[in-house]
Amino acid sequence: MNSTPARITKAVIPVAGLGTRFLPATKATPKEMLPVVDKPAIQYVVEEAVSAGMSDVLMVTGRNKRPLEDHFDRNYELEETLRRKGDNDKLERACAPTDLGDIHYVRQGDPLGLGHAVLCAAPHVGHEPFAVLLGDDLIDPRDPLLSRMTEIRAQYGGSVVALMEVDPGQIHLYGCAAVERTADGDTVRITDLIEKPAPGEAPSNYAVIGRYVLDPEIFDVLRGTEPGRGGEIQLTDALRELSTGTTGGPVHGVVFSGRRYDTGDRAEYLRATVRLACERKDLGPEFRSWLHAFVAADTGGRPDIAAGPGLLRPAA
Ligand code: G1P
């Protein structure tokens, strides 16, 4: 154990990525601004950080990411118009992102990789433990993960990553961890890490998902981390050094078994939108009935309603 447990108040969210998987939607709009139901994906991520007590949020941005700053800033004209109309519900929704926390921005400049993006946060973070949240991963708010990770950091020191067991055929898409059990059922000690292993080289099917609680020692390691997979400076490689080295460790993994949506993938993004819409109190009941009818029609179970426009009518 290398440092005393401290409350973690800072979160870093790298948002400099180009989002090419969503072209053309992301040609002029940052991928983080794509709505999941009626809220941009990034807002869910900031809400998650804030609800785990991390109200100091640093976004590591790049070119064309101005809409993110505008989203979390005031929009006086809009607010004034809604206030004048007395439309408090919409006013509340417009102000919610601004009232979330204390949001800061730093530009990454050169897109040298996730490890480099995290290193850009060093001057803001200083010498304290901090969290990193990747914007492509949405964690369902009913399955808190970050607060469990901070508990594990308080217990063991060092750094903590979130892991999920994935189909072995998918592990090449992720950082992959070699692990040992601990006395805590959901927690493992990480003994090695490989970024996006080639088939046959993965030591397990434990995938790193986009949540990290990091010891500030990571910055020193990142300063010396050579470009790795894809010619980029990889956070996984720096964590590997912490997990196998003598300072700055240990590295633990919390095995997450809750609901996670990868909004960086088009099919998963659609699933996330449908699931979250179904669960919304305001939209859910009507949307669910429509969806049941749609699926039944699609599978031939309800040929009577397969005629198209009828599907869009509110369910009785
Ligand atoms: C990044 C990390 C990878 C991790 C993944 C989780 O990769 O480098 O280790 O498993 O996020 O989403 P990316 O998906 O940004 O290529």
Side-chain angles (χ1 to χ4, degrees):
M1 216 183 285
N2 65 322
S3 43
T4 46
R7 211 164 74 79
I8 298 176
T9 57
K10 289 183 179 166
V12 173
I13 309 183
V15 291
L18 293 175
T20 49
R21 282 191 279 179
F22 276 85
L23 281 170
T26 47
K27 190 175 172 190
T29 302
K31 65 171 173 172
E32 296 80 8
M33 289 302 295
L34 296 181
V36 179
V37 189
D38 52 7
K39 225 170 17 177
I42 188 69
Q43 193 177 328
Y44 291 88
V45 179
V46 174
E47 285 171 355
E48 181 192 341
V50 171
S51 64
M54 300 156 193
S55 53
D56 179 324
V57 174
L58 177 73
M59 296 207 192
V60 184
T61 71
R63 278 177 288 283
N64 308 324
K65 298 288 176 165
R66 276 291 299 279
L68 286 166
E69 296 186 35
D70 291 340
H71 183 70
F72 291 100
D73 196 0
R74 291 248 167 267
N75 180 335
Y76 287 106
E77 202 186 355
L78 173 67
E79 288 171 27
E80 225 7 76
T81 308
L82 294 171
R83 205 169 279 123
R84 241 183 292 118
K85 283 189 183 163
D87 197 336
N88 291 330
D89 181 45
K90 290 203 181 97
L91 181 61
E92 218 171 275
R93 284 196 265 155
C95 294
T98 322
D99 297 337
L100 271 176
D102 207 359
I103 307 197
H104 309 267
Y105 303 89
V106 63
R107 290 277 283 250
Q108 188 180 0
D110 297 314
L112 299 180
L114 178 59
H116 176 253
V118 171
L119 188 53
C120 293
H124 181 86
V125 169
H127 201 74
E128 37 177 301
F130 64 105
V132 172
L133 292 86
L134 303 189
D136 282 348
D137 286 293
L138 291 196
I139 302 295
D140 196 295
R142 291 162 298 176
D143 301 321
L145 170 60
L146 265 186
S147 48
R148 178 65 185 147
M149 293 172 72
T150 58
E151 274 172 26
I152 294 300
R153 148 86 197 181
Q155 192 176 333
Y156 294 97
S159 298
V160 184
V161 305
L163 297 175
M164 241 178 143
E165 290 197 68
V166 299
D167 185 284
Q170 298 291 305
I171 195 73
H172 68 282
L173 301 171
Y174 297 93
C176 174
V179 303
E180 278 170 1
R181 287 182 183 285
T182 69
D184 295 291
D186 66 343
T187 305
V188 289
R189 189 187 159 107
I190 292 184
T191 56
D192 202 0
L193 278 165
I194 305 177
E195 178 66 7
K196 308 205 172 98
E201 280 174 18
S204 74
N205 67 333
Y206 284 111
V208 175
I209 57 169
R211 297 295 179 271
Y212 307 78
V213 169
L214 299 175
D215 188 275
E217 282 295 317
I218 194 86
F219 294 130
D220 261 352
V221 178
L222 280 168
R223 283 185 193 100
T225 302
E226 297 289 331
R229 163 106 19 215
E232 297 189 339
I233 298 170
Q234 297 290 352
L235 182 58
T236 305
D237 293 345
L239 279 163
R240 172 176 204 255
E241 197 169 324
L242 289 183
S243 72
T244 54
T246 47
T247 55
V251 181
H252 283 86
V254 168
V255 181
F256 183 62
S257 50
R259 285 156 284 195
R260 164 201 174 242
Y261 315 109
D262 175 6
T263 55
D265 174 81
R266 285 176 299 175
E268 264 288 296
Y269 169 83
L270 292 174
R271 284 182 209 119
T273 306
V274 170
R275 282 193 203 188
L276 293 176
C278 283
E279 285 155 12
R280 283 271 296 258
K281 282 201 183 79
D282 52 349
L283 302 167
E286 190 177 319
F287 183 63
R288 270 170 186 269
S289 316
W290 174 82
L291 194 61
H292 276 297
F294 178 76
V295 171
D298 195 48
T299 55
R302 293 273 306 271
D304 53 313
I305 55 141
L311 289 174
L312 300 173
R313 272 200 298 273

